[in-house]
Amino acid sequence: MRRDGGGQSRLLLIILIVTALFLITLDLRGVGLLENARSGTQSALSPFQRAGNVVLTPVKNFFSDLTHLGRTRAQIEKLEADNAKLKAELITRTSADAALNQLKTILDLAGTAGYKIVNARVISQGSSQSFSQTITIDAGTKAGIRKNMTVLSEAGLTGVVKEVYSNSALVSLATDPTFKIGIRVAGTQQIGILSGQGTRSASLQLIDNLSNVKVGDVLLSRGSISNRPFVPGVPVGYVTAVDNSAGSIAQSATVLLYTNFSTLGVVAVVLGAPTMNPGDALVPVKPEPTPIPTVTIFVTPSPTPTE
Amino acid sequence: MTSRQIFTALPMFLAVYVFQEAVVNQFRLPGGGFSLFLIFTLVWAMLSTPEVAALAGFIGGLLMDFSQSSSGPIGQWTLLMIAACYAVAYFGSGNESLSGSPLGFTFFTTAAVLLVEFAYVFTGLLFGLQIGNFGQIAITIFGISTWTLVVTPIVLPIFSRLHAFTFDTRSMI
């Protein structure tokens, strides 16, 4: 253990700490210079992030596969069967095809609601050392993106634009613990507030104590004034569990978000929404179970041979 | 720390920072992943005198504050890293169990990362940041610590050599 710290050392330490406290004060007071420094850093880093994204996409896919090893046997068998069927196609396809599919679905989603969108590729995932869940996309102010715009994936809501730079933007994901969105339940039109929980499961708190939700209810974004930060009608998720605790003022529930945040490749930023609310037009269609054919066999016993 | 040493060290800090932002952050690893830059700065501090460590913490913390994924005010990481780097250098230098022991260094780095993350949560709460629920924070801190325990032995020889190159000392592990 070092015990020879002199006055010079303490002076340096005090100067550095005072500088840090000075920076915190300036930032909390909203001095633009510091905000510009953060934007400048991001603008300088975005070409490196783009390059890193291009080079590391195959490696990321490998790690993504590793993180999903906890599947049940039945799922694995089903996926193996699907995999065998699709293998021939996958060999000839590139990652651009996957991005194209995501893009097409997003365009379908946006087209149905009449949203004006701009597409972007995900070029970086935010580090979780600061406990925030973010992604960086390769489009910024030059593409018309501004702060507090809704971000969509092919499945529904992804998040909201938190910071925007000239050629990139930082998106706060719906899984971020600070993320909150006003929602309404498709069909019943009950309203509530959905909060991110750090995972794909989010927490729903209904506002009206007379309202009730049930498992399977679909949640859509309620929309904000001037459509920022949220445009109305975007599918957010569906209820997976309902908490009916007697002590709570209003009902709360657990919600599974539609977007799979671990496979985000292409997203769309909503630049504008139609004046008319799309209502429940974007509610995802539930998959219909395939009927299992039944075969009835009649067996007629053969006559016993007589002597 | 002479100006020559600062000019040698600064590109290294920047290179590791860019590597963290452009490469490491591309992966959404289970449990929150790891911060190579945080490990680098703490290892650098452990191999230095407390004064140099505080300066390294200042530079490292400032760069972490400029990261797009940093949710706190600019200066929060700077303040924490100055204190953390000074502390690790103060307690680490001359510690018999650490000098020449990669295992001891690894555990000491992991403990430092753990404490820094806890301090970040605590100061974040003081600044009014919404960091998430207790369970999620616990999982993230546990994940980052575990990853640090795995990654540190791999990167320690490289970081140690970079430090020795800058200071021309025999402090390599």
Side-chain angles (χ1 to χ4, degrees), chain A residues 2-3 9 16 23-24 27 34 38 42 49 56 60 123 125 127-132 136 170 177-178 197, chain B residues 22-23 25-26 28 32 35 50-51 65 68-69 71-75 77 82 86 90 117 121 130-133:
Chain A
R2 184 174 287 269
R3 298 285 179 211
S9 164
L16 293 175
L23 287 172
I24 293 170
D27 193 52
L34 292 180
R38 199 174 257 175
Q42 177 53 31
Q49 289 173 331
L56 294 169
K60 275 159 64 181
I123 56 171
Q125 315 268 1
S127 167
S128 58
Q129 73 191 10
S130 301
F131 303 94
S132 61
T136 306
L170 181 71
T178 61
Q197 296 287 302
Chain B
V23 178
N25 283 358
Q26 297 282 339
R28 193 166 280 279
S35 172
E51 303 87 69
D65 274 323
Q68 40 97 17
S69 58
S71 52
I74 290 178
W77 271 118
I82 292 166
Y86 188 87
Y90 187 83
E117 291 292 341
V121 172
Q130 284 184 302
I131 294 173
N133 60 37

Side-chain angles (χ1 to χ4, degrees), chain A residues 140-223:
Chain A
T141 47
K142 284 183 183 171
I145 296 173
R146 299 288 178 269
K147 261 176 99 164
N148 291 326
M149 283 182 165
T150 312
V151 182
L152 306 176
S153 70
E154 77 272 26
L157 183 81
T158 298
V160 66
V161 177
K162 191 178 171 188
E163 295 293 340
V164 63
Y165 314 102
S166 56
N167 286 312
S168 63
L170 181 71
V171 176
S172 177
L173 297 178
T175 52
D176 189 275
T178 61
F179 189 89
K180 286 194 189 331
I181 179 173
I183 58 90
R184 65 180 172 80
V185 180
T188 62
Q189 307 299 316
Q190 298 163 70
I191 57 173
I193 294 171
L194 189 87
S195 308
Q197 296 287 302
T199 63
R200 205 176 155 191
S201 280
S203 163
L204 169 68
Q205 181 74 55
L206 289 180
I207 289 174
D208 187 356
N209 58 358
L210 298 175
S211 302
N212 281 306
V213 287
K214 59 182 188 300
V215 172
D217 275 353
V218 174
L219 308 181
L220 303 167
S221 63
R222 205 169 70 227

Side-chain angles (χ1 to χ4, degrees), chain B residues 117-132:
Chain B
E117 291 292 341
F118 268 120
Y120 184 84
V121 172
F122 182 70
T123 51
L125 291 173
L126 292 180
F127 287 127
L129 299 179
Q130 284 184 302
I131 294 173

Side-chain angles (χ1 to χ4, degrees), chain B residues 60-133:
Chain B
L62 201 61
L63 287 171
M64 285 163 80
D65 274 323
F66 287 149
S67 168
Q68 40 97 17
S69 58
S70 176
S71 52
I74 290 178
Q76 187 185 1
W77 271 118
T78 312
L79 184 65
L80 285 176
M81 290 303 286
I82 292 166
C85 289
Y86 188 87
V88 294
Y90 187 83
F91 289 109
S93 294
N95 191 327
E96 293 297 321
S97 60
L98 288 181
S99 54
S101 161
L103 199 65
F105 239 86
T106 302
F107 280 109
F108 199 59
T109 309
T110 307
V113 167
L114 190 72
L115 289 174
V116 166
E117 291 292 341
F118 268 120
Y120 184 84
V121 172
F122 182 70
T123 51
L125 291 173
L126 292 180
F127 287 127
L129 299 179
Q130 284 184 302
I131 294 173
N133 60 37

Side-chain angles (χ1 to χ4, degrees), chain A residues 43-249:
Chain A
S43 297
L45 281 173
S46 55
F48 294 102
Q49 289 173 331
R50 264 175 242 260
N53 181 52
V54 171
V55 174
L56 294 169
T57 299
V59 189
K60 275 159 64 181
N61 292 342
F62 171 73
F63 275 104
S64 176
D65 292 344
L66 276 184
T67 57
H68 291 93
L69 283 176
R71 288 178 284 222
T72 61
R73 183 73 198 154
Q75 279 177 310
I76 291 171
E77 281 171 1
K78 185 184 177 301
L79 287 170
E80 277 176 349
D82 289 347
N83 191 37
K85 205 168 80 177
L86 296 169
K87 210 168 186 176
E89 289 175 35
L90 284 173
I91 292 166
T92 52
R93 291 193 180 186
T94 62
S95 62
D97 290 327
L100 195 67
N101 280 337
Q102 282 188 336
L103 192 61
K104 186 178 174 299
T105 321
I106 293 173
L107 286 172
D108 287 345
L109 187 78
T112 309
Y115 299 141
K116 185 185 172 194
I117 60 165
V118 62
N119 297 302
R121 276 191 319 138
V122 178
I123 56 171
S124 175
Q125 315 268 1
S127 167
S128 58
Q129 73 191 10
S130 301
F131 303 94
S132 61
Q133 304 216 350
T134 55
I135 53 169
T136 306
I137 56 174
D138 69 347
T141 47
K142 284 183 183 171
I145 296 173
R146 299 288 178 269
K147 261 176 99 164
N148 291 326
M149 283 182 165
T150 312
V151 182
L152 306 176
S153 70
E154 77 272 26
L157 183 81
T158 298
V160 66
V161 177
K162 191 178 171 188
E163 295 293 340
V164 63
Y165 314 102
S166 56
N167 286 312
S168 63
L170 181 71
V171 176
S172 177
L173 297 178
T175 52
D176 189 275
T178 61
F179 189 89
K180 286 194 189 331
I181 179 173
I183 58 90
R184 65 180 172 80
V185 180
T188 62
Q189 307 299 316
Q190 298 163 70
I191 57 173
I193 294 171
L194 189 87
S195 308
Q197 296 287 302
T199 63
R200 205 176 155 191
S201 280
S203 163
L204 169 68
Q205 181 74 55
L206 289 180
I207 289 174
D208 187 356
N209 58 358
L210 298 175
S211 302
N212 281 306
V213 287
K214 59 182 188 300
V215 172
D217 275 353
V218 174
L219 308 181
L220 303 167
S221 63
R222 205 169 70 227
S224 314
I225 297 168
S226 306
N227 294 319
R228 282 166 74 176
F230 300 110
V231 291
V234 179
V236 178
Y238 61 92
V239 176
T240 54
V242 179
D243 178 15
N244 289 315
S245 305
S248 55
I249 297 167

